[in-house]
Amino acid sequence: MNLDKNCLASVSTSNYMSNVKILFLGISLYICSLGLFSSHVYLLWGIVYYLMNRFKILPDSLSICCLCIWALSFINQIVGFLNGYIPQSFLEFLPYSFLILVTIQLAKNIDERVLLVFVCCLIVDVFVGIYQKMNGIVSFYDVSQELVEGDDMLYNTKVFGLSTNSSGFAANVFLALMIYQCYDFNKKISPYFFYPVIIIGLLLSFNRSVLLGTAVFVLIELIQSKKKGGVLVLLFLGTSVLLYFILQDDLMELIMKQFLRGHEDIASAGFSEREIIYPFFVDFISNHLWLGNHSYKLLIDMGDGRILHAHNSYLQTLATNGIIISLFYCYLIFHKMTFKNMKFIFPFLIISITQTFILWGISLNDLIFYGILLSDYRRRI
């Protein structure tokens, strides 16, 4: 009898410790995503995750591709160094393709319960955003920023939640949606509660790239829907009614007004300095097509103390590495993409046109992106 009690106590303690570990990893992952630290904090998180879980590191086609990219990038860096390129820091000597390899191994072995905790943290963050909106607070980290009363532009009245900027907040909302859908968390969190929270989060953070990516996801979801008969007819009729109202002049004018930030056309609305950044990177690529910046990450000096990336994953990768290595990155992205998981992958690719959203090396975006590519999606969809 005492032996049975001891066994039950041991199991109970083990379950408790397991739950504490999951909570710690999920909450710490969300804290890493808030922009309080550099993206290298995910490497520290990955080391902690490995030490706490001791998963097996097994080779796969993506990891082998990463090793090829790593080797080519290292040779490219040596060529650049011999030609006079001087790295600004020791970290530049570490090709970020190595960090992608680390990210892929983490993505293959991440516990879904950790991602569920992440989604729960995002839900809390959205309610924080609601509190900020109601009290005229933009950010908890920069109290000098205040919401402008009477401004009806969502772009000008977005809040940051617990993140240090609205882009990070919007990215977390998008990633939570992708996790929820891919890992089938609708049995853990009611969709009648979750989807309204996501919609509110998207409006509070109002990132046009993320909104477009989310719209692409919804569109592909409708096209791929396996529902038949009356449900499919209802979907068609519902979509038709929605399109009818969207195409009404007043509503369409309102939507375009929000996306163009109150301006009359795209040119006058501006591209958040992308009209300066993109030509710089395109010009660099045209002059350094084969080897790029010798696999040292290319950045642009805006002349006012800011050093910026390309705001486009494809321009950033091509300018940094050149066309030869970039082709390996294309394989990395498209090798595992199928008709079944494209509804998750395409939105990431769309957002990456106007944001450096993936191919950072190690980041939350990359972790979820590769996690979806490598997940057992056939079992969940």
Side-chain angles (χ1 to χ4, degrees), residues 24-42:
F24 169 76
L25 289 171
I27 294 172
S28 60
L29 180 61
Y30 198 81
I31 292 173
C32 290
S33 74
L34 299 179
L36 298 170
F37 316 98
S38 76
S39 61
H40 291 93
V41 72
Y42 291 106

Side-chain angles (χ1 to χ4, degrees), residues 11-32:
V11 170
S12 177
T13 303
S14 177
N15 289 336
Y16 174 77
M17 293 304 296
S18 176
N19 291 335
V20 170
K21 179 179 72 174
I22 294 300
L23 280 172
F24 169 76
L25 289 171
I27 294 172
S28 60
L29 180 61
Y30 198 81
I31 292 173
C32 290

Side-chain angles (χ1 to χ4, degrees), residues 149-199:
E149 293 185 9
D151 195 330
D152 60 352
M153 290 294 100
L154 291 173
Y155 185 92
N156 298 330
T157 58
K158 52 191 176 183
V159 297
F160 296 1
L162 293 173
S163 297
T164 55
N165 55 67
S166 61
S167 296
F169 184 23
N172 283 348
V173 174
F174 171 78
L175 293 174
L177 175 61
M178 294 297 100
I179 293 169
Y180 182 87
Q181 292 293 123
C182 181
Y183 292 93
D184 198 19
F185 284 157
N186 61 319
K187 296 178 182 178
K188 305 289 185 181
I189 305 173
S190 170
Y192 298 105
F193 169 73
F194 180 75
Y195 292 135
V197 169
I198 289 297
I199 292 171

Side-chain angles (χ1 to χ4, degrees), residues 179-354:
I179 293 169
Y180 182 87
Q181 292 293 123
C182 181
Y183 292 93
D184 198 19
F185 284 157
N186 61 319
K187 296 178 182 178
K188 305 289 185 181
I189 305 173
S190 170
Y192 298 105
F193 169 73
F194 180 75
Y195 292 135
V197 169
I198 289 297
I199 292 171
I200 293 170
L202 290 171
L203 293 176
L204 287 174
S205 56
F206 201 79
N207 183 289
R208 292 171 292 179
S209 300
V210 167
L211 287 169
L212 180 58
T214 305
V216 169
F217 168 76
V218 173
L219 179 62
I220 298 177
E221 176 82 319
L222 288 174
I223 293 172
Q224 289 188 347
S225 176
K226 295 180 180 178
K227 303 182 188 304
K228 298 179 180 179
V231 175
L232 194 58
V233 172
L234 286 174
L235 274 174
F236 174 78
L237 292 176
T239 305
S240 300
V241 171
L242 181 62
L243 286 173
Y244 171 80
F245 283 108
I246 287 178
L247 292 175
Q248 296 301 303
D249 290 341
D250 292 343
L251 184 56
M252 194 63 187
E253 182 181 346
L254 175 62
I255 293 172
M256 293 307 297
K257 180 182 178 182
Q258 293 293 343
F259 266 81
L260 297 177
R261 297 186 287 177
H263 297 274
E264 295 183 358
D265 51 47
I266 295 176
S268 59
F271 297 92
S272 302
E273 297 182 305
R274 289 173 177 82
E275 66 275 12
I276 300 171
I277 297 169
Y278 287 176
F280 170 83
F281 278 86
V282 170
D283 182 64
F284 184 89
I285 291 168
S286 64
N287 292 313
H288 306 82
L289 181 61
W290 296 105
L291 300 178
N293 198 42
H294 295 288
S295 295
Y296 297 104
K297 188 165 284 188
L298 182 68
L299 302 171
I300 177 174
D301 188 343
M302 299 300 291
D304 56 2
R306 291 178 300 148
I307 308 294
L308 302 180
H309 54 76
H311 286 73
N312 179 303
S313 294
Y314 315 113
L315 286 179
Q316 185 70 63
T317 302
L318 191 54
T320 296
N321 299 286
I323 193 170
I324 298 174
I325 296 177
S326 294
L327 290 174
F328 281 86
Y329 278 105
C330 289
Y331 176 84
L332 194 68
I333 292 173
F334 295 108
H335 174 55
K336 292 288 186 179
M337 191 169 76
T338 68
F339 179 79
K340 289 179 180 270
N341 69 4
M342 65 184 290
K343 67 181 180 184
F344 300 111
I345 303 306
F346 265 21
F348 279 88
L349 302 182
I350 292 296
I351 295 174
S352 296
I353 295 174
T354 54

